[in-house]
């Protein structure tokens, strides 16, 4: 078993899983930035348009930054750093669930997407830190 202070090996599945997760967040960010209304419909919040699109694009920029953090960490930092960031990132989908529930317009599958995201982050953080 590898030490938590070692780098993730590019030949290991956890390296590629984290990089894949970063790619997913980067794709989601592109959706929110390029098509905020479509992003909002997946996210589970209403998209009123105009000025509000800027707030929806902020979600995209958040996801882009997260993707770049994860990609940079997995390539250049320790397992421990990657695991800590993955663990802390669980806060994002947990707060997203609270947000869409408070708006009251989300479908079960939209809430489920955020819950699955939180679960994936928890599992990946445990896997990386093991």
């Amino acid at each position: 078993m590898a030490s938590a202070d070692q780098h993730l090996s590019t030949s290991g599945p956890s390296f590629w899983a984290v990089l894949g997760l970063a790619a997913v967040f980067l794709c989601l960010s592109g959706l929110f930035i390029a098509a905020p209304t479509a992003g909002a419909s997946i996210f589970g919040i209403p998209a009123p348009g105009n000025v509000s699109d800027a707030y929806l694009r902020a979600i995209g920029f958040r996801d882009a930054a997260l993707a770049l953090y994860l990609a940079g960490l997995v390539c250049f930092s320790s397992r421990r750093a990657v695991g800590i960031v993955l663990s802390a990132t669980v806060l994002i989908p947990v707060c997203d669930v609270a947000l869409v529930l408070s708006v009251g317009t989300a479908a079960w599958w939209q809430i489920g997407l955020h819950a699955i995201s939180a679960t994936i982050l928890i599992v990946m953080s445990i896997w990386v830190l093991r």
Side-chain angles (χ1 to χ4, degrees):
M1 181 149 58
S3 165
D5 287 330
Q6 293 177 340
H7 292 284
L8 290 166
S9 169
T10 57
S11 64
S14 57
F15 176 92
W16 294 104
V18 174
L19 210 53
L21 182 64
V24 167
F25 279 111
L26 197 56
C27 289
L28 284 172
S29 74
L31 176 64
F32 271 96
I33 293 165
T37 302
S41 68
I42 292 170
F43 191 89
I45 55 175
N50 299 329
V51 174
S52 298
D53 283 354
Y55 293 105
L56 296 172
R57 286 187 176 104
I59 294 170
F61 295 131
R62 172 196 76 175
D63 286 350
L66 175 60
L68 296 174
Y69 296 155
L70 290 174
L73 284 170
V74 77
C75 290
F76 302 110
S77 193
S78 69
R79 295 177 70 84
R80 182 171 308 206
V82 174
I84 289 169
V85 169
L86 285 170
S87 298
T89 302
V90 172
L91 183 62
I92 294 172
V94 168
C95 290
D96 289 348
V97 166
L99 174 66
V100 297
L101 285 173
S102 73
V103 172
T105 58
W108 66 267
W109 65 269
Q110 293 162 320
I111 296 165
L113 284 175
H114 296 293
I116 289 169
S117 178
T119 303
I120 289 169
L121 287 165
I122 290 167
V123 169
M124 287 185 70
S125 65
I126 291 168
W127 183 28
V128 168
L129 289 170
R130 69 170 166 76

